[in-house]
Amino acid sequence: MLIKTRGIVLSYLKYRETSIIARIYTERLGVQSYVVNGVRKAKPPGRIALFQPFTLLELVAYVARGSGGLTRLSEFRCAEPFLTLPFEVQKSSVVLFLSEVVGRAVREEEQNEPLFQFLHDSILSFDQQTTGSENFALVFLLKLATYLGFGVSSGGELTDQVVMAGHAATSKGATGPATLRLREFDAYLDELLRDPATSTIPNGRVRHELLNVLIRYYQLHVEQMGEIRSLDILSQVLAE
């Protein structure tokens, strides 16, 4: 059976000589993996670009029998071409980071229209932003947590959970100074939750530390979240 749906690319793996296995968050079926044949051929050129992280696609896909099956795409095309995301280093680094987080945190193979619409609209908004996008990743993660069922209403609520779980411990096991350091972030998180446009985050270093806190928070709530490898890449860009 074939189904038409919109999709958001999360990642892909090379498969055989010219194909890939693409992991896509679909509007109608949740997270799905598809074999896509021939996209790594030299001709026609450019088709592999359609499977870069967070690309918005329109799909005609075969439906697997049961859950967790690997099927194929019958048709695919770009739903909404990007203006900036593939071309600006900082934005593309943010997209790489966030697509890895979403890929780890969202695994359900079922329809979730509010979550899909949030992801779709957030990606388009980020692509169209010309100023004030430096805090996008932080705001995105705070909002995504709400859709995943563990959102917070204040910065203190978030850091309380991180501290109580023991994630503030240093290599020597002393939690005091690290806990005080986390408390310094409460106000910044409150600003991002309340009105991101008026945020007073001073620099990339602080943004990097806030991202680390948020990833720790996600690790508390998402089983097998693991380490986010692309955070180091994003941190280098934020520091520039």
Side-chain angles (χ1 to χ4, degrees):
M1 183 179 75
L2 291 171
I3 186 172
K4 292 183 178 180
T5 184
R6 294 187 294 174
I8 300 168
V9 177
L10 300 178
S11 61
Y12 75 82
L13 297 172
K14 294 179 181 178
Y15 179 66
R16 295 180 177 172
E17 291 187 4
T18 62
S19 302
I20 61 172
I21 297 175
R23 194 158 179 263
I24 300 175
Y25 186 66
T26 69
E27 184 174 19
R28 297 181 61 181
L29 300 171
V31 176
Q32 298 290 312
S33 294
Y34 297 109
V35 175
V36 190
N37 291 322
V39 292
R40 291 167 51 221
K41 291 181 180 178
K43 295 180 181 181
R47 298 181 76 205
I48 192 64
L50 294 178
F51 294 92
Q52 300 309 305
F54 276 1
T55 302
L56 306 176
L57 298 177
E58 290 184 1
L59 310 171
V60 178
Y62 291 95
V63 178
R65 294 180 180 179
S67 61
L70 185 65
T71 61
R72 297 178 183 272
L73 292 181
S74 174
E75 301 175 26
F76 57 89
R77 70 179 186 88
C78 181
E80 301 183 68
F82 291 140
L83 301 173
T84 65
L85 296 189
F87 313 113
E88 297 183 10
V89 172
Q90 182 167 332
K91 282 190 172 184
S92 61
S93 299
V94 169
V95 164
L96 179 65
F97 165 71
L98 291 179
S99 63
E100 185 179 357
V101 174
V102 173
R104 299 283 187 90
V106 180
R107 301 175 185 176
E108 292 78 9
E109 296 178 2
E110 58 186 32
Q111 185 176 26
N112 185 335
E113 177 62 29
L115 175 57
F116 182 89
Q117 202 61 48
F118 161 72
L119 295 173
H120 176 275
D121 293 349
S122 296
I123 293 166
L124 281 183
S125 175
F126 188 41
D127 179 58
Q128 294 165 6
Q129 275 185 287
T130 56
T131 60
S133 61
E134 59 272 8
N135 294 330
F136 176 82
L138 294 165
V139 177
F140 179 96
L141 291 178
L142 288 167
K143 290 182 178 179
L144 177 62
T146 299
Y147 286 91
L148 297 180
F150 51 88
V152 293
S153 57
S154 71
E157 182 182 349
L158 190 152
T159 55
D160 279 348
Q161 292 187 45
V162 173
V163 170
M164 290 177 66
H167 281 259
T170 67
S171 59
K172 294 182 180 180
T175 60
T179 298
L180 292 174
R181 180 61 176 153
L182 280 174
R183 294 300 180 210
E184 295 177 12
F185 298 141
D186 287 358
Y188 294 135
L189 292 169
D190 284 337
E191 291 173 355
L192 293 169
L193 287 163
R194 183 178 62 251
D195 186 3
T198 62
S199 172
T200 59
I201 298 174
N203 53 49
R205 181 185 59 79
V206 174
R207 288 188 186 90
H208 168 61
E209 294 188 57
L210 287 167
L211 285 172
N212 269 317
V213 173
L214 281 168
I215 292 301
R216 292 178 187 176
Y217 178 69
Y218 268 69
Q219 289 166 342
L220 297 179
H221 292 274
V222 179
E223 187 177 357
Q224 297 179 343
M225 181 75 180
E227 296 299 319
I228 303 300
R229 294 185 296 271
S230 56
L231 179 56
D232 289 339
I233 298 173
L234 179 59
S235 298
Q236 293 174 15
V237 174
L238 290 176
E240 294 177 355

